[in-house]
Amino acid sequence: MRGSLGRDKGKDHASANDHRADAGMNLRHIEVFHAVYANGSVSAAARALNVSQPSVTKVLQHAETLLGFALFERTRGRLVPTQEAHALFNDVADIQERVYQLRKASQNVKRGRGAMLRISTLPSLGLGALPEAVSRFLAAQPGVGFELHTVHHDDMVRKLYERETDIVISYEVPRAAAVASRRLGRGEMVAMFRTADFPDASARLTLDQLRGRPFITTVESGPQGRALSAEMARLDVVLDEVVASRTFFVAAALVRAGVGLTIVDSFTAQASLTPDLSIRPLDPPIGFDVHAVYLESRPLGKLADQFLKHLAQGLHA
């Protein structure tokens, strides 16, 4: 009987522990765990959180009690995350980021900035077109906040799905994704070169006219690069490639440095133009559309719609 009671008490004790573990970590536990993991020590975490070391230690121990396993082990005077801590950290970091965004949103509301537009753009549009549109928009809507990011084509769908951004300004619309889009304008590929290196350049340049000149290739740079590659193959044109760049503004910088000429999108070219550089459209032209891409499940609000009109006007200009 006594042994049976002992087992029953053990079951009750285990059940109580399970209940505590099921309670899980609250936001304070998450904040402290994230700080200790990211900073590598209790003292550094305490400084980052502006609290005392005993407070951090207490919260961390409480979190470990709730979870039922250790998050850190002390090895040679250092705190080392356990395998369980590594497994938890990505989810905890995501929650911490969401809490940060919530705090930022509440601060915006407190300051009278009740709206936030989160926009990602290709680097080429981030050099001139997007900043100019933001400037014009804020002149008309000074209470709106912006969070701006650069993004590459391969990463845009993930950023939309994971809610890292609300709108992506892109040169193509992903076909297989649950997204909607709005066409904002049109651009074209242009040759960019130092004027002194090509003083007799015609108003439009054929790819054939670029033969024999040092060429900074951008054929691996997203949909425009693929379009350029296809056109070169169609015309059976092979250029003297000296450097390959996957980024248009790096290619433009190489032109400024005297490495050679390149072909980039018209927005990068305009934003990178200096008095000693020239640009020419191609003959035949290689054009492309500019789109605003967003999730079908999150249609554009009024402010986003107004901003995109400002951006479209700038692209047309």
Side-chain angles (χ1 to χ4, degrees):
M1 179 71 69
R2 190 163 47 231
S4 175
L5 284 172
R7 284 194 299 273
D8 289 344
K9 288 178 67 177
K11 288 180 181 178
D12 290 344
H13 181 68
S15 177
N17 283 338
D18 291 343
H19 179 72
R20 287 197 301 270
D22 289 343
M25 300 168 73
N26 61 31
L27 290 178
R28 184 57 176 167
H29 297 138
I30 289 171
E31 183 178 43
V32 167
F33 167 60
H34 183 274
V36 174
Y37 188 104
N39 290 279
S41 70
V42 169
S43 58
R47 288 193 297 271
L49 297 173
N50 197 28
V51 297
S52 67
Q53 291 186 41
S55 175
V56 170
T57 300
K58 182 178 179 181
V59 172
L60 189 61
Q61 290 174 342
H62 188 224
E64 291 177 326
T65 300
L66 290 173
L67 292 169
F69 53 79
L71 292 170
F72 299 92
E73 295 175 346
R74 188 168 292 280
T75 303
R76 297 177 182 177
R78 296 176 58 250
L79 280 185
V80 178
T82 62
Q83 290 300 316
E84 291 83 358
H86 288 310
L88 282 178
F89 183 72
N90 285 340
D91 288 336
V92 164
D94 182 60
I95 293 170
Q96 186 73 358
E97 175 63 20
R98 291 173 185 271
V99 171
Y100 169 76
Q101 294 294 342
L102 178 61
R103 286 174 177 167
K104 188 159 63 171
S106 64
Q107 289 170 356
N108 289 334
V109 171
K110 185 176 180 180
R111 296 170 186 160
R113 299 169 63 108
M116 172 70 70
L117 293 177
R118 299 186 306 162
I119 299 174
S120 294
T121 183
L122 300 172
S124 53
L125 291 169
L127 292 172
L130 185 68
E132 290 165 6
V134 170
S135 177
R136 291 192 301 270
F137 184 78
L138 288 178
Q141 299 275 0
V144 178
F146 277 89
E147 188 175 295
L148 305 177
H149 306 269
T150 55
V151 66
H152 293 282
H153 280 97
D154 294 343
D155 212 26
M156 57 186 287
V157 173
R158 180 191 65 79
K159 284 186 173 292
L160 287 168
Y161 282 165
E162 295 183 2
R163 304 296 197 269
E164 291 183 23
T165 193
D166 301 317
I167 303 169
V168 175
I169 311 301
S170 171
Y171 294 147
E172 67 177 356
V173 179
R175 296 179 181 179
V179 297
S181 66
R182 176 187 299 182
R183 183 181 177 278
L184 300 176
R186 189 163 178 81
E188 65 178 312
M189 302 298 286
V190 298
M192 185 175 187
F193 49 89
R194 293 199 304 185
T195 307
D197 294 339
F198 204 166
D200 56 345
S202 53
R204 279 187 176 269
L205 293 173
T206 66
L207 291 176
D208 196 60
Q209 289 176 279
L210 306 184
R211 291 181 191 265
R213 300 176 183 274
F215 182 64
I216 302 157
T217 180
T218 56
V219 296
E220 298 295 327
S221 301
Q224 295 103 320
R226 292 192 293 271
L228 174 60
S229 180
E231 183 68 1
M232 292 172 66
R234 184 183 73 84
L235 298 174
D236 193 24
V237 172
V238 177
L239 300 180
D240 184 12
E241 298 178 0
V242 293
V243 178
S245 174
R246 291 178 176 269
T247 309
F248 288 146
F249 67 81
V250 173
L254 289 167
V255 174
R256 288 198 302 272
V259 174
L261 60 81
T262 192
I263 296 175
V264 296
D265 68 284
S266 49
F267 303 110
T268 296
Q270 290 289 348
S272 305
L273 201 57
T274 59
D276 60 331
L277 298 181
S278 294
I279 58 176
R280 295 289 191 276
L282 300 177
D283 183 22
I286 302 176
F288 56 88
D289 291 328
V290 182
H291 306 272
V293 182
Y294 51 94
L295 293 178
E296 288 180 344
S297 59
R298 302 184 72 187
L300 297 177
K302 182 178 179 181
L303 282 174
D305 178 74
Q306 292 174 348
F307 172 74
L308 292 179
K309 289 178 180 177
H310 280 269
L311 180 56
Q313 289 170 2
L315 294 177
H316 285 300

